[in-house]
Amino acid sequence: SVPAPVFRTVNASPSAPQVSIADGAAGATVSKWVTRGEKVLVKATPTSGHVCGWLNLPTGSELDVAHDSVMVAVSAPCTVSPIIANGSVRYWRGTTSTDSDVASNWLDLNGTEGCPEKGDTIVLDEGSTPLTWTLAGVSPQHWIQSGYSGKVSFCVGTSRAEGGTPAEDGVNRELKLTGNAVISSGIWASASNVSFKKGSEEVTSDEGRYRLWVTVDGDLSVASDAAIDVKDCGFACTLGSGYHTSGGAHGGTGASSGYLTFGSLFEPVLVGTGGNNDFAGYGAGAVKLTVGGVLALDGTINATPSAYKKGTTNLCSHYPAPGGSIWLTAKQMTGRGSVLANSGDATETGRGGGGGRIALYLTGEGETFDELGWTVECFGKASGTVYRETASDVPHRGELIVRALG
C-alpha cells in the first residue's frame, strides 16, 4: 500500500493567523495525514489584515472567492502558507486604460477607487485586463495573480526618465515587494525598447530604458501556467552592440564567429540586440530577480527572441537576434520550470545568432544546484554563458557552463 502523504500548513506571516485543516483545531502551525489525491479544506483567520493568497498551493487546488480558505489537492507531502495583506488590497480592473496611475482603474475590498500606495497588496484575477505598471516609486507588500490571463508590462529597469535623460539620483528603478509574489497565471514582462533609435543613449549603452528588475523580500512563485517573458522587449532590428548582418552576438557569437561577444558573465543586465532585418525579429529583453526567500519556478523565465511571424504563422528568421539576459538571485530555488536565453531560430540556409547570458546565485547556507529540476538553456550558433554560484563559493569563482546545442 502507498502511505498517505502528510499535509502541513505553516504560519508565514508576522500577523500570526490561526490556521485549521478540515475544520480541526486551529493553530499557527498544524498538520494532518490525508489520503493521496484527497482535497482538504484549509482556513486561515489572521489577527489583523486580510488573507490575499496562499504560498505553495499544489496544482488543482481551489481558492475561495474571499481567499481565506482553500481546497488543497494533496498528491504529495506539501506545506502551504497564507499570505496576509496588512495594508489595502487593490484589485486591478483597467476599466479606463492600461495605466497603473489612473485611480479609476483600481478598486479596494469596499469597491472604492484609488491607486496603490506603499504597503498595499496588488491582486490581478479573472476580472483584470492588461496592465502597464508605471508606479516605480510605490513598494507594494504582496503581488497576487490568480485566474489572470493578461500581461503586466513593467516600466522599470534603468535610471532614465522619459526622454532618456538620467534621473538626478541615478538610482535604477525597480518593482520592490516587501512581502511575497504569487504568479499563478498570466505574464510578467518589461515594457518594450523597440522604439529607440540608433545613436540614442538607450541603444549606445545597451541598457535600453526598460528591463524587468524586481526585488521580492519574501518568496516568489511562478506556476506552470505563468511566465516571465521578455521575448520582444529588446531592441529593434539592426540595433545594439551585438548586431551583425549574419546573426547577432551576445554571450555567444553569431554565424560570423569573429564578431565579439559582450556583456557580463556574472551580472547580465544588457538588453538583447535586434536581428538583421524585419524578417529577423526584435531582440529579447533583460530580467533581474532578487528574492529574499524561495524562488519556486514551475513556469518559464524567457529571454529568447520570438520567431518572425507571417500572419499568425511562426517562421524561422534568416539572421535572427541573439538571446537576452537573465540574472536570478534567491535564498533557495525549487521547481521544474525553464530559464531560457536562446538565440532566435534560423532557417536552414540562414545564419544563427548567439546564445544569451544567464547568472544564478543561491544565497542560502548549504543550498546547492544539485537537485534543482530547472531546464536552463542559452543555445545559439555559438553557446551563450550560464554562471552558477552558491553561498559557499568564493565570489565570482562559481561554475561557468558553456554548452553547445546537442
Side-chain angles (χ1 to χ4, degrees), residues 43-69:
K43 296 180 180 179
T45 306
T47 56
S48 63
H50 311 278
V51 180
C52 60
W54 294 76
L55 287 171
N56 307 320
L57 287 180
T59 301
S61 300
E62 300 172 9
L63 271 174
D64 180 79
V65 66
H67 289 177
D68 57 354
S69 64

Side-chain angles (χ1 to χ4, degrees), residues 220-287:
L220 167 61
S221 64
V222 182
S224 57
D225 291 333
I228 295 173
D229 195 337
V230 294
K231 62 185 177 185
D232 293 320
C233 300
F235 293 130
C237 302
T238 76
L239 298 182
S241 291
Y243 168 66
H244 194 275
T245 56
S246 297
H250 186 188
T253 61
S256 178
S257 59
Y259 207 69
L260 296 178
T261 60
F262 69 104
S264 172
L265 291 171
F266 309 115
E267 299 177 355
V269 295
L270 300 182
V271 170
T273 296
N276 182 42
N277 51 42
D278 290 341
F279 299 101
Y282 298 144
V287 177

